[in-house]
Amino acid sequence: MELRLGTKASLSKTVTDKDVRMFAEVSLDYNPLHLDDEVAKKSIFGRRIAHGDISLGLISAVLGNYMPGRGTIYLGQDIKFVAPVFIDDTITAEAEIVEIIPEKNRYRIRTDVKNQAGVLVATGFALVKYQAA
Amino acid sequence: MELRLGTKASLSKTVTDKDVRMFAEVSLDYNPLHLDDEVAKKSIFGRRIAHGDISLGLISAVLGNYMPGRGTIYLGQDIKFVAPVFIDDTITAEAEIVEIIPEKNRYRIRTDVKNQAGVLVATGFALVKYQAA
């Protein structure tokens, strides 16, 4: 893939109950908003939501596997979680190169995550290092 | 827990091979730097590293389960990944309240992750919303 300003890639996945339970085990984040139907029902969301960091994981998957691709080193990320992701939502992480810093092999990449209705759920920018093999 | 400027909490975990494989499944991030010994050996790291977002997950665990605690809504995060986390490293996520915005029930929280040698591996700030029940 040619890496120019405006180059884009995306990746979608359906966030299952199993994903949320595995992520809880990996992260130790057992917040009942993610895991307990009764607690979540009484929250402002009305039902269980996925961990925000699952959206970030999908962003890292786009960066590390597609664009820039294998060998990408993830240097940083800022992210705003702007809407909830519910269990069984299908989310799409979109990445677009917005700045290239050639002398450092660095790329600044806009990273947006949307749900199946096209609603933005997370938005921010990643900074990565990548040197073509 | 009383939530004042300077209030801190932390949580540690050892990042296992199983964690990295589960995170790959949840995130779809199968970057060989995380999963393939042979590829990782030839990288600048010399061996497999954990996904950066596993450190973020541990941060969200501190925020959502300890400080501010249950009911915390994760609004945003900026993070710099400054050193690698290797398989079987024990990482500690530390959170400290650095700003309180009472009219919005918002807290700005410094979030640092260190390894078992005390080396900073990730650093940044989280923004959360939290209203005591």
Side-chain angles (χ1 to χ4, degrees):
Chain A
M1 179 181 283
E2 209 169 352
L3 300 176
R4 296 166 174 261
L5 283 181
T7 297
K8 290 181 189 180
S10 67
L11 182 63
S12 298
K13 98 163 251 156
T14 299
V15 180
T16 65
D17 179 61
K18 184 185 172 199
D19 287 325
V20 169
R21 292 184 188 282
M22 283 200 297
F23 187 81
E25 190 177 338
V26 172
S27 66
L28 306 182
D29 186 351
Y30 294 99
N31 188 327
L33 278 178
H34 308 307
L35 298 166
D36 184 322
D37 284 319
E38 291 309 306
V39 170
K41 200 181 288 179
K42 293 176 200 148
S43 76
I44 62 165
F45 302 114
R47 55 199 160 116
R48 286 199 291 138
I49 61 170
H51 301 78
D53 289 334
I54 293 178
S55 294
L56 281 179
L58 192 63
I59 289 172
S60 83
V62 174
L63 303 176
N65 294 279
Y66 298 96
M67 202 274 300
R70 298 201 161 188
T72 295
I73 296 168
Y74 203 6
L75 298 177
Q77 176 78 48
D78 68 73
I79 197 78
K80 287 178 184 161
F81 300 111
V82 295
V85 173
F86 297 104
I87 313 297
D88 294 327
D89 275 1
T90 298
I91 56 173
T92 300
E94 301 172 352
E96 178 182 359
I97 296 174
V98 294
E99 187 183 356
I100 301 175
I101 308 154
E103 64 278 18
K104 290 186 163 181
N105 298 308
R106 288 186 179 187
Y107 297 82
R108 193 167 141 81
I109 297 174
R110 182 183 56 75
T111 53
D112 286 346
V113 183
K114 295 176 181 169
N115 69 15
Q116 64 278 358
V119 172
L120 191 69
V121 297
T123 183
F125 293 89
L127 183 69
V128 302
K129 183 167 180 168
Y130 176 79
Q131 191 158 16
Chain B
M1 180 181 282
E2 208 168 353
L3 300 175
R4 297 165 173 261
L5 284 180
T7 298
K8 291 181 188 179
S10 68
L11 182 64
S12 297
K13 97 163 253 158
T14 299
V15 181
T16 65
D17 179 63
K18 185 185 172 200
D19 287 326
V20 169
R21 293 185 188 281
M22 284 201 296
F23 187 81
E25 190 177 336
V26 172
S27 67
L28 306 182
D29 184 351
Y30 294 99
N31 188 328
L33 277 179
H34 308 307
L35 297 166
D36 185 320
D37 285 317
E38 291 308 307
V39 170
K41 200 181 288 181
K42 294 175 199 146
S43 76
I44 62 163
F45 302 113
R47 54 198 161 116
R48 287 197 289 136
I49 61 170
H51 300 78
D53 289 334
I54 293 178
S55 295
L56 281 179
L58 193 63
I59 290 172
S60 84
V62 174
L63 304 176
N65 295 279
Y66 299 96
M67 202 274 299
R70 297 200 161 187
T72 294
I73 296 168
Y74 205 6
L75 298 176
Q77 176 78 48
D78 69 73
I79 196 80
K80 287 178 184 159
F81 300 112
V82 294
V85 173
F86 297 103
I87 312 300
D88 295 328
D89 275 1
T90 299
I91 57 173
T92 299
E94 301 172 349
E96 176 182 0
I97 297 175
V98 294
E99 187 184 357
I100 300 175
I101 309 153
E103 64 277 18
K104 290 185 162 181
N105 299 307
R106 287 187 181 188
Y107 296 82
R108 192 166 143 80
I109 297 174
R110 182 184 57 74
T111 53
D112 286 346
V113 182
K114 295 176 181 169
N115 69 14
Q116 65 276 359
V119 173
L120 191 69
V121 297
T123 183
F125 293 88
L127 184 68
V128 303
K129 183 168 182 170
Y130 176 78
Q131 191 157 18

